Amino acid sequence: MFVFGLLFETKMEILMPKVKIVSFLISAAVGTFLANTGFAQNAPYATVKGWAVASAKSNGALTGCTMSKTTAAGRLTLIKFTSGKWRLFVPTRQSGTFGGGIVSYDKADVDSQFGFSRGSASRDMSADEISRFKAGREFGVQINGDAPLSWALTGSTAAALKVDECVSNKGIPPAAKAQTTRPQAQRPNSQSGARPSAQAASGPVCWTVTSGTYDCVYEEYDATGRFSREYALSPKSGDAPAFDIRVASEQDVEVNVWFGTGPWQYMGIWQAVQNVAGAPAGAECIEPASNQTAEARNNLGQDAWVFCAR
């Protein structure tokens, strides 16, 4: 009962109240710089789960790194400046200098002010909003006078982590090579923005249909957004997969899996399951829910997926 007994302790604070946030306006120069997606000093850095990550330079110096995706709603872009601050850019039909509206995280609205420049609306984003952006499923914008826009947030956590890496690497992509060691399943500390120290745990045992029973290492992180628990379970040795788990409830468990090389793969929303044949005695288990996104269905494939731990 070591792992999942903790996993399903949900928090009442998950439902967030409506919060009013007024952002500072930005300079027209920076707005023009990012609105022009063909700007010569925007250099591709990586593509992560449908998001394009790029370095942004001005006069040869790194300004920050961006993550963006383009859908029928238009182009959604976030930049993390070298100072650590984040800013949002979305399309608009409004002119003038600034205007009001809202942004929403899974339908929870935040009153906002936007700066306008050449068809682009922009606003600063707080650390709390970035956490909600990474943890959410849908992001919406309603600028006064414009039609509402929305984007799916699938892959936003992975893309934001890649932006962090891009800024740390000064916009220079690492040499392309297969990973030979397990990457850290980094999670932000909700208070300071830094990754907390992993909490050591003795003797967890994991099990999957294909790998059987194997010894695991347990690392817990500060929960963000709608999740009450976030942690990773990794094999001490061998080729078994590592699981990154984010829990909202017994029926709402977000799972990412790492297979020893390449990036983490999003495996969708899982739920608790009982009486799994072959699982270790006393283990608690989760399996994929029936309704999944296209990305999760593609990553799950036709394999039999059940994960158990005790």
Side-chain angles (χ1 to χ4, degrees), residues 20 26 37 80 90 127 133 151 165 171 182-183 213 241 262-263 268 281-282 293 301:
K20 178 175 288 188
I26 67 168
T37 56
K80 181 180 182 181
V90 295
F133 190 92
W151 293 265
E165 175 192 291
R182 176 185 178 272
T213 301
T293 64

Coordinates of all heavy atoms in Angstrom, one line a residue, residues 20 26 37 80 90 127 133 151 165 171 182-183 213 241 262-263 268 281-282 293 301:
K20 N -8.7 37.6 -10.2 CA -8.5 38.8 -11.1 C -7.0 39.1 -11.1 O -6.4 39.3 -10.1 CB -9.3 40.0 -10.6 CG -9.0 41.2 -11.5 CD -9.9 42.4 -11.1 CE -11.4 42.1 -11.5 NZ -12.2 43.3 -11.3
I26 N 3.4 45.5 -22.4 CA 4.8 45.3 -22.9 C 5.1 46.3 -24.0 O 4.2 47.0 -24.5 CB 5.0 43.9 -23.5 CG1 4.1 43.7 -24.7 CG2 4.5 42.9 -22.5 CD1 4.5 42.5 -25.5
T37 N 6.5 35.9 -37.0 CA 7.0 34.5 -36.9 C 8.1 34.2 -37.8 O 8.8 33.2 -37.7 CB 5.9 33.5 -37.0 OG1 5.3 33.7 -38.3 CG2 4.8 33.6 -36.0
K80 N 9.6 32.5 -22.6 CA 10.3 32.7 -21.3 C 11.5 33.5 -21.5 O 12.5 33.1 -22.2 CB 10.7 31.3 -20.7 CG 11.3 31.4 -19.3 CD 11.7 30.1 -18.7 CE 12.4 30.2 -17.3 NZ 12.8 28.9 -16.8
V90 N -1.2 36.0 -28.4 CA -2.2 35.3 -29.2 C -2.7 36.3 -30.3 O -2.4 37.5 -30.2 CB -3.4 35.0 -28.2 CG1 -3.1 33.9 -27.2 CG2 -4.0 36.3 -27.6
A127 N 3.8 33.0 -12.2 CA 4.3 31.6 -12.0 C 3.1 30.7 -11.7 O 3.1 29.5 -12.2 CB 5.3 31.6 -10.8
F133 N -1.2 26.5 -16.6 CA -1.1 26.2 -18.1 C -0.5 24.8 -18.3 O -1.0 24.1 -19.2 CB -0.2 27.3 -18.7 CG -0.1 27.3 -20.2 CD1 -1.0 28.1 -20.9 CD2 0.8 26.5 -20.9 CE1 -1.0 28.1 -22.3 CE2 0.8 26.5 -22.3 CZ -0.1 27.3 -23.0
W151 N -7.2 26.5 -27.2 CA -6.2 25.6 -27.6 C -6.1 24.4 -26.6 O -6.2 24.6 -25.4 CB -4.8 26.2 -27.7 CG -4.7 27.2 -28.8 CD1 -4.2 27.1 -30.0 CD2 -5.0 28.7 -28.6 NE1 -4.1 28.3 -30.7 CE2 -4.6 29.3 -29.9 CE3 -5.5 29.4 -27.6 CZ2 -4.8 30.6 -30.1 CZ3 -5.7 30.8 -27.9 CH2 -5.3 31.4 -29.1
E165 N 15.1 24.3 -20.7 CA 16.4 23.8 -21.2 C 17.0 24.7 -22.2 O 18.2 25.0 -22.2 CB 16.1 22.4 -21.8 CG 17.4 21.8 -22.4 CD 17.1 20.6 -23.3 OE1 16.7 19.5 -22.7 OE2 17.2 20.6 -24.5
G171 N 19.9 28.9 -25.9 CA 19.3 28.8 -27.2 C 20.0 27.8 -28.1 O 19.6 27.6 -29.3
R182 N 18.4 7.8 -17.5 CA 17.0 8.3 -17.3 C 17.0 9.8 -17.0 O 17.7 10.3 -16.2 CB 16.3 7.6 -16.2 CG 14.9 8.1 -15.9 CD 14.4 7.4 -14.7 NE 13.1 7.9 -14.4 CZ 12.8 9.0 -13.6 NH1 13.8 9.6 -13.0 NH2 11.6 9.4 -13.3
P183 N 16.2 10.6 -17.8 CA 16.1 12.0 -17.5 C 15.3 12.2 -16.2 O 14.5 11.5 -15.9 CB 15.4 12.6 -18.7 CG 14.6 11.5 -19.2 CD 15.4 10.2 -18.9
T213 N 7.4 -8.2 -12.2 CA 7.7 -7.4 -11.0 C 9.2 -6.9 -11.0 O 10.1 -7.7 -11.3 CB 7.5 -8.4 -9.8 OG1 6.2 -8.8 -9.8 CG2 7.8 -7.7 -8.5
P241 N 9.9 0.1 -17.8 CA 9.6 1.5 -18.0 C 9.5 2.3 -16.7 O 9.3 1.7 -15.6 CB 8.3 1.5 -18.7 CG 7.6 0.2 -18.2 CD 8.7 -0.7 -18.1
G262 N 15.0 8.4 -25.6 CA 14.0 9.3 -26.2 C 13.2 10.1 -25.1 O 13.6 10.0 -23.9
P263 N 12.2 10.8 -25.5 CA 11.4 11.6 -24.6 C 10.4 10.8 -23.8 O 10.1 9.7 -24.1 CB 10.7 12.6 -25.6 CG 10.5 11.8 -26.8 CD 11.7 10.9 -26.9
G268 N -1.9 9.4 -21.4 CA -3.3 9.7 -21.1 C -3.8 9.6 -19.7 O -3.0 9.7 -18.7
A281 N 1.0 -9.4 -4.5 CA 0.0 -9.3 -3.4 C 0.1 -8.0 -2.7 O 1.1 -7.5 -2.4 CB 0.2 -10.5 -2.4
G282 N -1.1 -7.4 -2.5 CA -1.1 -6.1 -1.8 C -0.9 -4.9 -2.7 O -0.9 -3.7 -2.2
T293 N -7.2 10.8 -25.6 CA -6.9 11.7 -26.7 C -6.2 10.9 -27.8 O -5.7 9.7 -27.6 CB -5.9 12.8 -26.3 OG1 -4.7 12.2 -25.9 CG2 -6.5 13.6 -25.1
G301 N -1.0 2.3 -28.2 CA -1.0 1.3 -29.2 C -2.0 0.2 -28.8 O -3.0 0.4 -28.2

